[in-house]
Amino acid sequence: MSAKQAHTFHIDGMSCDHCVRTVQTVLDQIDEVEVESVVLGQATVRFDPEKVAFVDLASLIEEEGYVVKP
């Protein structure tokens, strides 16, 4: 069993509280993800990389109109 790992996404295009809530909501909808914090420009989450792929999480954020930087 793999342990959850923390990762911080650096996100371009977030400019207000609405953006923060949007990213928070998208990440909260994934059962295997624990959202630690979402602030302007970044989101920190914990997830098991054997169950959830980083690129899938980044894609969900980008579908909302933001850009996830490596």
Side-chain angles (χ1 to χ4, degrees), residues 25-35 52 56-57 60:
T25 299
V26 167
L27 294 172
D28 277 340
Q29 293 176 0
I30 305 161
D31 290 335
E32 299 294 329
V33 174
E34 295 173 16
V35 179
V52 179
D56 291 339
L57 295 177
L60 289 172

Side-chain angles (χ1 to χ4, degrees), residues 44-55:
T44 302
V45 299
R46 294 185 70 76
F47 62 95
D48 182 343
E50 291 185 11
K51 295 181 179 178
V52 179
F54 170 84
V55 294

Side-chain angles (χ1 to χ4, degrees), residues 10-69:
H10 298 282
I11 307 166
D12 279 345
M14 295 175 70
S15 60
C16 63
D17 286 340
H18 174 74
C19 298
V20 170
R21 284 190 304 273
T22 298
V23 172
Q24 176 87 38
T25 299
V26 167
L27 294 172
D28 277 340
Q29 293 176 0
I30 305 161
D31 290 335
E32 299 294 329
V33 174
E34 295 173 16
V35 179
E36 291 187 352
S37 70
V38 179
V39 297
L40 290 178
Q42 69 183 35
T44 302
V45 299
R46 294 185 70 76
F47 62 95
D48 182 343
E50 291 185 11
K51 295 181 179 178
V52 179
F54 170 84
V55 294
D56 291 339
L57 295 177
S59 292
L60 289 172
I61 295 168
E62 290 182 340
E63 285 176 11
E64 296 299 321
Y66 306 105
V67 176
V68 177
K69 298 186 291 186

